[in-house]
Amino acid sequence: LGTRSTIDAVSAQTRDLWRRADVVILPDEGSAYLAKLGCNAVIVRPDRYLLAAARGPAELDAASQFIPVRH
């Protein structure tokens, strides 16, 4: 979940990882929540805990590497 500008600016590698992991992307959702956290995107685990918060696309790229992908 994050701002469209942050989500749109991630790398092609991250987009591929998201596709392989069946990530649900919610651009421009939860803006008040993101503002309260002081970030532009978060990765929410299936159990609804936060995996990571990111201020920009580079941090979102780095945090996305922790998303498990089934092989």
Side-chain angles (χ1 to χ4, degrees), residues 30-46:
S31 57
Y33 179 65
L34 295 174
K36 188 174 184 179
L37 293 176
C39 62
N40 291 316
V42 292
I43 300 173
V44 182
R45 299 178 350 177

Side-chain angles (χ1 to χ4, degrees), residues 10-71:
V10 298
S11 71
Q13 272 185 307
T14 295
R15 291 197 174 283
D16 182 57
L17 184 146
W18 290 349
R19 183 189 52 76
R20 291 183 288 123
D22 294 325
V23 169
V24 175
I25 302 167
L26 300 172
D28 293 335
E29 293 289 326
S31 57
Y33 179 65
L34 295 174
K36 188 174 184 179
L37 293 176
C39 62
N40 291 316
V42 292
I43 300 173
V44 182
R45 299 178 350 177
D47 60 4
R48 298 187 180 156
Y49 282 90
L50 288 185
L51 174 68
R55 289 175 288 205
E59 287 183 7
L60 188 53
D61 282 332
S64 292
Q65 300 310 305
F66 293 102
I67 298 172
V69 177
R70 294 185 186 142
H71 294 281

